[in-house]
Amino acid sequence: MAEHRNGNAKPSDGKASGAASPYAINLDNFTKRLKTLYSHWKEHGNDLWGSSDALAIPTPPASDDLRYLKSSALNIWLLGYEFPETIMVFMKKQIHFLCSQKKVSLLEVVRKSAKEAVGVEVVMHVKAKNDNGTGLMDSIFRAVRANSTSHDTPVVGHIAREAPEGKLLETWTEKLKNADFQLSDITNGFSDLFAVKDSTELTNVKKAAFLTSSVMKHFVVPKLEKVIDEEKKISHSSLMDDTEKAILEPARVKVKLKAENVDICYPPIFQSGGEFDLRPSASSNDENLYYDSTSVIICAIGSRYNSYCSNVARTFLIDANAMQSKAYEVLLKAHEAAIGALKPGNKVGAAYQAALAVVEKDAPDLVSNLTKSAGTGIGLEFRESGLNLNAKNDRVLKAGMVFNVSLGFQNLQTDTNNPKTQKFSVLLADSVIVGEKGPEVVTSISSKAVKDVAYSFNEDDEEEEEEKPKVKPEANGGEAVSSKATLRSDNQEMSKEELRRQHQAELARQKNEETARRLAGGGSGAGDNRGAVKSTGDLVAYKNVNDLPPPKELMIQVDQKNEAILLPIYGSMVPFHVATVKSVSSQQDTNRTCYIRIIFNVPGTPFNPHDSNSVKFQGSIYLKEVSFRSKDPRHISEVVQLIKTLRRQVASRESERAERATLVTQEKLQVAGTRFKPIRLSDLWIRPPFGGRGRKLTGTLEAHTNGFRYSTSRPDERVDIMFGNIKHAFFQPAEKEMITLLHFHLLNHIMVGNRKTKDVQFFVEVMDVVQTLGGGKRSAYDPDEIEEEQRERDRRNKINLDFQNFVNRVNDLWGQPQFKGLDLEFDQPLRELGFHGVPHKASAFIVPTSSCLVELVETPFLVITLSEIEIVNLERVGMGQKNFDMTIVFKDFKRDVLRIDSIPSSSLDGIKEWLDATDLKYYESRLNLNWRPILKTITDDPEKFIEDGGWEFLNLEVSDSDSDNSQESDQGYEPSDVQSDTGSEDEDDDSESLVESEDDEGEDSEEDSEEEQGKTWEELEREASNADREKGDESDSEEERKRRKMKAFGKARRAPEKRSGGGRSTGGSLPKRHKMR
């Protein structure tokens, strides 16, 4: 039996009941569907089957052409295969097959099943190779007459629209016409029979739909984006061929379906450049894909699984104008309305009427351009007759029906100067199953939301025009065009700045109203964000005297098991818990006598935390310090080392215990069962890393039912991240970085090893850091060098693709109904909007995403949620500075502001544009502000803050015009050189080691602690500046005040260099150098 495009060489449900032959008919399906056929024939014999006494269905020879025939559909539906050049005649008591010997041997198995199912006898007519079959046909005609219930002329039902192909079918059709039979068309009977699908058929439709939508999402869309981004030239027909290959090889889009069960419904359709055809018979031409501004791209693809069809079509808008955007939005709304009307009990025509009602209401001028149908039924045939979704179809919808809901606007006109974009069309199509409770869109993973199909490249083009105003002149007057473009760009730039100012003014009004409402409701009170000091537990070294170890001799002992130090005092060994020790030190004099000095934590001393023990024993007398002398320096050194080591271990354990006590209890991870394999990504490193001194190992990240699990080969190295605890998820592929990463910013802290953190990152290094030892510079044309670079590119691309596939599959998982409330989706940083700055201590490349501002490569990480930002103040702007600072004020005034310092001034306009686009109000100031007193003033008296204009005190234009009040406006300012670090401390602390969180420098002496209490030169200079201001210096000019402040600061820095002996001061100047002659 030949294999061809009309059928597959596998049963439609993938099962086989026999093992001897590769082709085996599924007898369960045959029995069930034969019963359905005969009962339907009996119930609707007069109206749909034309009162037929017999149903004659000849199947044409095999063909490589894509075609959909009722006869082929019946073969696959009933038998699981297409039997070419076979004639089937169904009668009330007999079924006749006329075919070759090979096909008869396959059909022999249905004899018993047919008899048991509907009580009919199966009669086989074997056609010899050189026989034309006329004699066999006559015997079938005689059986029709014998089985006929009609008194005069038997009625034979046939499919009238199918023309005979091949000698056998031509002979059969000719003899049937010349016989004394009344012929009746039974097309409607088969249409109604195939309309409602059983569970096996629906499974095949869903698999086909999953493949179709996966190809659209994971192949077509990335392919188009890459072509447009890299400005490649590719024809519609080339895209068609590439997409067809992707459908026929499901593994390319990570779909686990057998390739031999898969086929295309039609050659994929790509259209652009003003030439559009929305009919299903459209084809992709050889013109190049057109993606200039205001262009439209339509893509439609369909695939089959076990001969069951599915379809999806999407329209992509490139820099759409208002007309195009409106047309698509109306179409999307109408398409959803049509899908929503597909409910059991409704008329088929209700779908088109619902779509038409939306268009008439929202865009009545587009009614004439709306397609005359909203789609057709779909299944074994791409277009099932009788199920056309037009306004006149009054058939009743039933659960189990499947539709290709396809709706579009054709031949629309828009005002553009480019003839290839003046005329456009838009189209949307989805495969939809009519369920008991409502419609199910089985191609929904391919998004049709406006944000996912509309692309904007105008801003990039304008930037390129500004950077390259001179274009190489062409023969068609390209030089004049380019100059015109440059002028237009300048005009747009001016209007853009004006629009930005207007938008910022509106944002200022909204922000002040929002802040007033929040402060009135007590949303943010004053307070410093310093956490309470961690208290240690009850320090008990020994529960009773009997637990003390027997004294060997009166020497200092360290009991590591009980975490205690035993000191010989007045002839007795007195135990002290190691946590009570503040510092321990030793020294040796010239006589080889060693001294050990132990200082204890005592309430009331500077820099000593007040833990629960000191509060509990307030009336007690404490031992502050103790010193011992010894002639054994080795013992003293060993004791000091043991005490320090034990102290660090206990401090680390207590700190970790305190940190864990503040953790929010997480739900338990539900591990995916063996039936559903978890989504997996291997060979990843984690940050922050696990503790321990062993060799670091890579691990595997798995997505389970309700969270992620990362684990290495060590049993104790495992981290669970619940989906419900994820605030933001980021995917950053390696472009100019050395790593590709996944980053999770959490709602509540979790423990990674012994670290408490809100940020967990998994990454892979995309290339090895190689250092050439030879020292010589290799040629750029060196074949080895070129090959090595190519290997690095291939490795980077493979890693990025693996991460992308993992992200896509997790996004699909998060798109399921149970996760809708979490609103989770991997966000990707927008590199083109990034800028350099110093958020902590080192310079980093900071990048915005759709919802955050992040820096994910250097540690500590930076993740700022845009919705939590109150305002942004750009400081040290103007003044001829090469850099400026960004201060982010949060809506929670208890949080310290976050400073990003040393941003290049060249990034200023881009940052303003981004802040304005994300609806963030920003201000500019010439100097840095001291924000703690400002926020305290606001929270202490919010009513006065609102009365004084809210945040408008930061408005530089208002401040300049109101120079009489310069005294008040200067009180919050400080010179940038003496600005204290006001960065957010808890951003740094989130991922610090618990060992480092204790004061490891506590071994210094008390004298060092007392020196820290003195005033710094910056504090002295600030007091001097305030004193000058109080004496009336505020009337001086801005430049004079600045000059005097910097001069005073310079003097303050030179003060320590004065000689104590009354000699001449060097003034901080450098010594004169001898001149070289």
Side-chain angles (χ1 to χ4, degrees), residues 440-701:
E440 178 187 357
V441 182
V442 288
T443 51
S444 59
I445 67 171
S446 173
S447 175
K448 57 188 174 183
V450 176
K451 67 181 180 67
D452 294 322
V453 301
Y455 295 85
S456 177
F457 300 96
N458 250 341
E459 295 178 13
D460 296 344
D461 294 341
E462 288 171 7
E463 289 174 6
E464 289 175 7
E465 288 171 356
E466 291 166 21
E467 292 171 4
K468 303 177 182 178
K470 295 182 180 180
V471 182
K472 184 177 178 179
E474 298 176 357
N476 60 354
E479 191 172 5
V481 173
S482 79
S483 63
K484 182 178 178 183
T486 306
L487 288 172
R488 184 173 69 250
S489 177
D490 292 341
N491 292 334
Q492 286 178 351
E493 197 63 40
M494 287 190 296
S495 61
K496 192 185 295 183
E497 180 65 28
E498 185 60 34
L499 288 171
R500 195 162 66 200
R501 288 184 180 179
Q502 294 176 2
H503 187 220
Q504 285 293 308
E506 177 62 21
L507 285 177
R509 184 186 63 78
Q510 295 175 3
K511 182 57 63 180
N512 284 331
E513 291 177 356
E514 177 193 330
T515 307
R517 287 194 299 270
R518 195 169 67 251
L519 291 175
S524 285
D528 56 4
N529 59 345
R530 289 155 180 74
V533 177
K534 298 184 293 289
S535 62
T536 57
D538 290 337
L539 302 178
V540 178
Y542 304 102
K543 293 184 178 179
N544 55 59
V545 179
N546 297 328
D547 293 338
L548 265 72
K552 300 175 184 178
E553 51 185 319
L554 291 178
M555 297 176 62
I556 300 175
Q557 298 179 31
V558 179
D559 185 355
Q560 296 191 3
K561 180 181 178 181
N562 293 294
E563 299 171 352
I565 306 168
L566 290 95
L567 303 178
I569 300 177
Y570 294 114
S572 300
M573 300 300 291
V574 181
F576 293 85
H577 196 282
V578 74
T580 63
V581 176
K582 182 178 181 182
S583 66
V584 58
S585 60
S586 65
Q587 66 182 56
Q588 184 175 348
D589 62 12
T590 55
N591 297 325
R592 297 186 57 83
T593 301
C594 290
Y595 296 91
I596 181 170
R597 182 186 185 194
I598 301 174
I599 302 175
F600 296 96
N601 289 314
V602 179
T605 56
F607 310 104
N608 180 66
H610 295 276
D611 61 15
S612 59
N613 295 287
S614 62
V615 175
K616 186 185 296 185
F617 306 110
Q618 290 182 356
S620 302
I621 298 174
Y622 289 86
L623 181 64
K624 185 174 182 180
E625 74 174 73
V626 62
S627 298
F628 293 89
R629 184 177 60 193
S630 173
K631 292 289 186 180
D632 186 356
R634 177 182 294 181
H635 175 67
I636 291 296
S637 177
E638 183 181 345
V639 166
V640 170
Q641 191 61 39
L642 285 172
I643 293 174
K644 286 184 176 181
T645 303
L646 184 59
R647 180 178 172 276
R648 275 195 296 268
Q649 291 174 354
V650 173
S652 173
R653 189 199 64 214
E654 291 296 326
S655 179
E656 182 177 347
R657 181 184 297 169
E659 294 285 15
R660 288 185 181 276
T662 61
L663 293 177
V664 176
T665 304
Q666 303 290 326
E667 59 181 313
K668 190 176 181 181
L669 182 74
Q670 299 176 16
V671 180
T674 54
R675 185 178 176 185
F676 302 101
K677 292 184 179 179
I679 307 168
R680 180 173 297 176
L681 197 58
S682 304
D683 298 326
L684 302 179
W685 299 98
I686 185 173
R687 290 198 289 186
F690 293 110
R693 298 186 180 183
R695 186 171 65 90
K696 299 295 187 290
L697 300 175
T698 58
T700 300
L701 182 65

Side-chain angles (χ1 to χ4, degrees), residues 172-188:
W172 168 263
T173 304
E174 188 65 28
K175 288 185 69 65
L176 190 64
K177 286 181 180 178
N178 295 332
D180 55 344
F181 295 144
Q182 180 182 343
L183 299 182
S184 176
D185 186 11
I186 55 174
T187 302
N188 290 338

